[in-house]
Amino acid sequence: VGFDVGIAKIPIVPTAVIFDLFMGSPKTRPTPEMGYQACLNAGPEVGEGSVGAGTGATVGKLFELSRAMKGGLGTSSIVMPDGLKVAALVVVNAFGDIIDNVTGKIIVGTRTAEKSMEFANTANSIKQGHVKKQFGIVNTTLGVVATNARFNKREITKVAQMAQGGLIKTISPVHTTFDGDLVFGLSAGTVEADINKVGVLGEFVVAEAIKRAVKKADGFGIVPAFKDITKGWKTTK
């Protein structure tokens, strides 16, 4: 029962998830003991990189995993002088490349060859005619933007829409037919704030969280990560 993805059948449920079964063993499942330990470990510090939902995340998959790089989980937050807080947590499992929105350069993404650490530039490769024909089952970037501002459902939805700009600025291409990109919004507070202000701050923290996700990731010797670019990458496969 479920949707056949080749290596397993996945039950279709109403939720937002990433597909990461090609990293490690697809038979590995969380246990009740893991859930209990997660509660014990809960605290103000949030792990980043190849942890939690970011453990099996990858990016730059125009030419499949053999030329992809490691994605991950990242967080970012900002506190304004008036007490307004806006934070983001993003799981980066993108089809496209990750861009530094300040320099405009690719941080991690599709590589020119399996053993190369040079970037092919996914957007340019697609313009030149390199396309994927099959449905994308391994790509999705999921984020949540939370604020202590008081908003109703319609207002926080607008904040989430504006925060999607953080994806647009740091992922290229983004929102393709191979992706299921989505940003959730959460209002949990009583601070009075302007929707547009919070939306702009949401865009900023989402972009920062995406860059932190890939910069802190570990490829476990399966796919190269950002930290492998300068020191050279050797697979342990």
Side-chain angles (χ1 to χ4, degrees):
V1 177
F3 181 64
D4 192 345
V5 296
I7 54 178
K9 287 187 177 181
I10 310 299
I12 301 302
V13 293
T15 186
V17 299
I18 71 165
F19 187 98
D20 59 2
L21 298 184
F22 290 116
M23 281 284 292
S25 171
K27 296 182 179 180
T28 300
R29 296 289 186 274
T31 64
E33 291 74 23
M34 291 179 183
Y36 186 82
Q37 189 62 46
C39 292
L40 296 179
N41 294 342
E45 298 298 324
V46 179
E48 295 179 278
S50 299
V51 298
T55 302
T58 51
V59 301
K61 287 164 279 189
L62 175 62
F63 301 107
E64 309 302 334
L65 284 179
S66 63
R67 288 163 62 177
M69 292 188 69
K70 190 68 179 68
L73 181 148
T75 65
S76 180
S77 63
I78 189 169
V79 181
M80 304 303 289
D82 59 1
L84 173 66
K85 300 177 181 179
V86 183
L89 183 147
V90 184
V91 180
V92 183
N93 188 58
F95 168 73
D97 305 323
I98 307 304
I99 309 296
D100 185 322
N101 57 312
V102 177
T103 66
K105 296 182 179 179
I106 297 175
I107 302 175
V108 294
T110 301
R111 294 169 293 126
T112 56
E114 185 171 350
K115 295 183 179 180
S116 171
M117 291 304 292
E118 295 183 1
F119 299 123
N121 193 314
T122 299
N124 284 346
S125 296
I126 292 176
K127 291 176 184 177
Q128 294 166 6
H130 296 284
V131 296
K132 281 171 62 77
K133 295 185 190 245
Q134 69 270 33
F135 177 74
I137 58 174
V138 295
N139 316 295
T140 291
T141 296
L142 300 175
V144 57
V145 173
T147 178
N148 64 345
R150 181 174 61 190
F151 291 132
N152 59 33
K153 185 175 182 179
R154 184 192 307 181
E155 292 167 336
I156 194 62
T157 297
K158 187 59 183 178
V159 169
Q161 289 174 344
M162 292 183 66
Q164 295 245 9
L167 274 67
I168 296 168
K169 289 184 175 181
T170 54
I171 303 175
S172 177
V174 68
H175 291 308
T176 72
T177 57
F178 306 112
D179 291 289
D181 303 332
L182 185 64
V183 174
F184 295 93
L186 172 64
S187 169
T190 58
V191 175
E192 296 294 331
D194 176 70
I195 296 174
N196 293 309
K197 177 180 179 180
V198 177
V200 169
L201 292 173
E203 176 185 289
F204 172 77
V205 292
V206 165
E208 292 300 303
I210 289 172
K211 291 184 290 185
R212 289 176 64 88
V214 297
K215 287 183 176 180
K216 292 180 173 291
D218 189 327
F220 308 117
I222 301 175
V223 293
F226 171 80
K227 64 182 181 181
D228 298 315
I229 293 176
T230 56
K231 68 180 183 180
W233 176 70
K234 294 182 179 180
T235 179
T236 59
K237 292 188 292 184

